[in-house]
Amino acid sequence: MHSTARTAANRYPERVTYERDAVYAILDEALAVHVGFNTELGPVVIPTLHMRVGDQLLLHGSAFGRFITTAASGAPLCVTATLIDGVILGRASSHHSAAYRSAMVFGTASPIEDERERADALAQVVESVIPGRLSGPHAARRPNTEEARYTACLTMPIEEFSMKVRAGFARDEPKDDHVESWAGWIPLTTTPGIPVPDEITGDRFPAPAYDPSVHRFRQD
């Protein structure tokens, strides 16, 4: 994959890659994405849960919401996923930054019209958040076709994309070497909490357990 007019980097092009596998890794690790699109009242960006299935993104939302109705009409979309790995501190405030991995995908999406296929797609989104949630002895109920009428699901081909990575230390200048201030970077990680059951669940069923290999809670 090569850069396009929309994905080419004007600043720090050395931080950008167009490797499909690298972009997929970001989309798979991110719990949510942000979707940008234009409306009659101006640009809008919304967060939503997603899932990657092969070379497609699954995006979901209210069947009657502004995002779904706009995207389903064929409006161009910009989908981004960002993972913050830390903060970078320099000796000069202008060189402070963040360590991050960010993926950007451009394209248009198509609604899944068949109710059974849409219900299956919504189930896949649930599985992307909690792997194993809809299978096994203590599985949650799968979405039915009636529920699928109110929650839409879109498929978006992953064809035009890029990934940008910022890591390492601040780009301090020699003139600031004398500044007596700590410089370096501070890693940030997402720390999972302890699952809290509701009143009906209590301690009757095993809670999902965190699996760091997929950055998700897994229901076994």
Side-chain angles (χ1 to χ4, degrees):
M1 178 68 186
H2 301 287
S3 65
T4 66
R6 293 192 291 190
T7 62
N10 295 319
R11 285 177 55 80
Y12 305 121
E14 69 277 7
R15 298 178 183 173
V16 179
T17 180
Y18 305 99
E19 297 293 331
R20 186 175 288 271
D21 288 344
V23 171
Y24 285 2
I26 299 301
L27 295 172
D28 292 348
E29 182 175 343
L31 186 61
V33 295
H34 285 81
V35 185
F37 53 95
N38 283 319
T39 71
E40 293 180 354
L41 299 178
V44 173
V45 176
I46 66 148
T48 186
L49 297 177
H50 71 292
M51 182 181 185
R52 182 183 64 84
V53 181
D55 296 330
Q56 301 276 331
L57 273 180
L58 291 183
L59 305 170
H60 89 296
S62 169
F64 310 106
R66 177 169 51 181
F67 160 50
I68 293 297
T69 55
T70 301
S73 70
L77 304 178
C78 177
V79 180
T80 62
T82 302
L83 303 173
I84 300 297
D85 295 319
V87 291
I88 299 172
L89 308 182
R91 291 176 179 81
S93 59
S94 59
H95 294 150
H96 285 52
S97 186
Y100 63 87
R101 290 165 288 151
S102 179
M104 180 178 293
V105 182
F106 293 96
T108 57
S110 301
I112 299 176
E113 302 289 359
D114 181 83
E115 291 183 350
R116 184 66 265 164
E117 291 181 8
R118 187 159 64 248
D120 289 342
L122 294 173
Q124 287 182 291
V125 174
V126 172
E127 281 281 313
S128 75
V129 178
I130 306 288
R133 182 61 179 164
L134 301 183
S135 59
H138 302 294
R141 180 177 61 79
R142 298 177 67 87
N144 57 41
T145 55
E146 179 66 23
E147 292 164 336
R149 295 175 184 174
Y150 302 100
T151 304
C153 197
L154 307 173
T155 61
M156 178 178 169
I158 306 173
E159 297 178 346
E160 187 179 359
F161 54 83
S162 66
M163 171 183 169
K164 197 169 190 178
V165 177
R166 170 69 166 101
F169 298 102
R171 301 164 67 95
D172 275 329
E173 301 173 68
K175 67 180 181 181
D176 293 316
D177 288 350
H178 70 283
V179 177
E180 296 182 355
S181 180
W182 190 91
W185 81 288
I186 304 172
L188 295 178
T189 58
T190 299
T191 302
I194 299 174
V196 180
D198 66 11
E199 293 180 357
I200 297 176
T201 299
D203 58 0
R204 297 164 59 204
F205 311 115
Y210 188 71
D211 184 348
S213 67
V214 293
H215 307 282
R216 297 286 193 277
F217 276 90
R218 182 185 294 278
Q219 184 81 64
D220 294 323

